[in-house]
Amino acid sequence: MSSQAARSHMSIGEVLALLQGEFPDVSISKIRFLEGEGLIEPERSPSGYRKFSYADVERLRYILSEQRDRYLPLRVIKDRLEAADREERPVARPRAVPDEATPEIRLTREELLAAAELDEATLAELEDFGLLAAVARYYDAEALAVARSVGALAAFGLRARHLRVVKAAAEREAGLVEQAVAPLLRRRGPGAIDRADETAREISGLLLELHASLLRSAVRGVLGR
């Protein structure tokens, strides 16, 4: 193999280093798991080592982005990849340069109030009813999303105390996910954690779809339609 050809391929460790800046949770076992599920097919050297091309890396970036940003289960992502392969069209997303990467959100209380356009009384009410909480005195992206949603709902007269039922429903659904993945978490084999993570994502997505459908149906009933 020429030196130019060698540089066009990467080891799994080099791929991990490329991806971890954008996807901190990715691991070697996760990459191997995705290969085992048939989403990527890196070449192999005569001695059996994986050789990843830049196309493989972009494919991985696409898979991880779809999981993180759109919460899609692997079966859906795989179907889309196979469709793209049949049509010979690329699926890779543009690679973000490091200074354009979205930083992890860590907001102070004052920053959260400003970003969500909430007053102190409303934020205190959210915390009192357990709808959000600071971690080490900072608020993350999920806390910001909750705060913004509650702020928007307040325009319709819905306050934090009215939304306890939503939190209770989410916790019950999380219990269903936990029940389903518990046997996977007890396994010790390679890829068990990644398989449990993927199963949890898929079940969560299906529950979200079911919840939305049931809510739409119930609202139609309220409106007499």
Side-chain angles (χ1 to χ4, degrees):
M1 179 184 294
S2 69
S3 60
Q4 183 177 0
R7 286 196 299 271
S8 68
H9 288 85
M10 293 163 278
S11 69
I12 194 169
E14 290 170 325
V15 171
L16 182 65
L18 281 175
L19 294 174
Q20 277 190 320
E22 188 178 353
F23 306 99
D25 294 334
V26 72
S27 63
I28 287 178
S29 64
K30 173 74 170 182
I31 295 172
R32 288 172 174 163
F33 171 75
L34 293 174
E35 180 186 3
E37 293 297 305
L39 280 87
I40 55 171
E41 296 180 10
E43 295 181 29
R44 295 271 184 165
S45 69
S47 55
Y49 289 104
R50 295 172 178 84
K51 300 189 301 178
F52 291 85
S53 67
Y54 285 101
D56 291 327
V57 175
E58 291 306 314
R59 193 176 179 97
L60 279 167
R61 186 173 280 113
Y62 173 83
I63 295 165
L64 296 170
S65 295
E66 292 294 270
Q67 282 192 307
R68 180 193 64 192
D69 301 337
R70 303 183 65 185
Y71 223 68
L72 292 179
L74 282 186
R75 58 181 175 78
V76 174
I77 298 172
K78 187 176 183 181
D79 287 344
R80 294 184 177 185
L81 287 169
E82 290 175 348
D85 290 342
R86 287 194 298 271
E87 297 170 12
E88 298 185 348
R89 57 180 170 83
V91 295
R93 296 182 171 186
R95 181 180 177 184
V97 296
D99 58 352
E100 291 178 348
T102 302
E104 180 183 359
I105 293 180
R106 294 179 75 246
L107 302 175
T108 65
R109 190 174 189 85
E110 292 73 21
E111 289 170 337
L112 179 66
L113 290 171
E117 300 182 349
L118 290 182
D119 55 46
E120 175 62 39
T122 300
L123 179 53
E125 188 180 23
L126 287 174
E127 292 177 319
D128 288 343
F129 287 106
L131 291 171
L132 62 78
V135 178
R137 298 189 298 176
Y138 287 95
Y139 299 86
D140 61 12
E142 293 296 340
L144 177 59
V146 170
R148 283 176 169 168
S149 296
V150 172
L153 289 168
F156 300 95
L158 297 174
R159 307 291 297 182
R161 63 182 180 276
H162 301 126
L163 302 175
R164 287 179 295 178
V165 293
V166 179
K167 181 175 186 294
E171 290 174 344
R172 287 195 295 270
E173 290 170 2
L176 292 176
V177 176
E178 181 182 12
Q179 179 181 339
V181 302
L184 297 175
L185 291 172
R186 288 195 291 267
R187 296 179 183 174
R188 301 291 184 179
I193 297 299
D194 291 317
R195 189 172 298 279
D197 178 71
E198 171 55 28
T199 300
R201 287 175 180 272
E202 182 160 4
I203 295 172
S204 297
L206 292 170
L207 287 173
L208 285 171
E209 292 175 7
L210 175 61
H211 184 93
S213 297
L214 292 174
L215 180 59
R216 285 193 295 267
S217 178
V219 170
R220 284 198 299 269
V222 169
L223 298 176
R225 293 182 179 179

